[in-house]
Amino acid sequence: MAAHELILTVNEKGGHLYEAMMIFKFAKPLAWLLLAFIIFVTVSPIGERPDTVTMVDVDRAVAYLLLGLAFALAYPKQWKTVAVLLIVGAFAIEWLQYFAPTRHPRLHDASIKAMGAALGLLAGWVINRWRETKAPNALPFAER
């Protein structure tokens, strides 16, 4: 049975696999777009940075929280690998500021970003576990 037939068969029987697959379908491009936007904002000249109404640390934490959440939803089977890559990546992306003359990397900034990513990943993990329990007719994440 082809994957799309399985999705339709399970969905017709009242399962939630189709809905979960749709979320994953949009989570992957969203996660990668968020990552690209964060890299652009982090490395671009300070004048190119978007203005916000919150404190800079809140901006950093929320951006990485959303990034962690998106990647956790997009790659539920690989959440441990994603966690390592995003947390290490927060420090690596901050380090890229050494190459931007108007920017200055800071350990504090990278730590805020890593904590935001960790919180987003945790939220995504919780959502994935919850969805897994709510969809008894669906394939477990390990088999997708």
Side-chain angles (χ1 to χ4, degrees), residues 2-141:
H4 70 282
E5 291 172 286
L6 176 64
I7 291 169
L8 292 175
T9 302
V10 171
N11 195 41
E12 289 169 0
K13 293 180 181 177
H16 299 282
L17 183 58
Y18 179 76
E19 294 163 5
M21 295 302 287
M22 290 305 292
I23 290 171
F24 293 136
K25 183 178 180 179
F26 292 111
K28 286 181 182 181
L30 176 64
W32 289 103
L33 286 171
L34 281 171
L35 180 61
F37 179 73
I38 286 172
I39 292 171
F40 170 76
V41 169
T42 302
V43 181
S44 65
I46 197 75
E48 298 292 321
R49 187 166 178 225
D51 292 327
T52 60
V53 294
T54 63
M55 298 182 318
V56 177
D57 282 346
V58 173
D59 292 345
R60 291 180 183 116
V62 169
Y64 274 82
L65 185 139
L66 293 174
L67 182 67
L69 178 62
F71 269 100
L73 294 177
Y75 300 98
K77 290 190 306 184
Q78 298 90 3
W79 71 269
K80 291 176 186 176
T81 303
V82 168
V84 170
L85 291 174
L86 285 183
I87 292 169
V88 170
F91 289 91
I93 292 169
E94 186 70 17
W95 177 77
L96 287 174
Q97 289 185 0
Y98 274 116
F99 302 106
T102 62
R103 304 305 296 264
H104 46 280
R106 293 188 179 160
L107 185 58
H108 169 79
D109 296 350
S111 298
I112 296 292
K113 293 172 180 180
M115 284 190 290
L119 288 174
L121 288 160
L122 178 63
W125 180 81
V126 169
I127 291 168
N128 286 333
R129 296 295 298 207
W130 176 78
R131 280 197 343 231
E132 195 172 73
T133 62
K134 291 292 183 187
N137 295 334
L139 292 173
F141 285 135

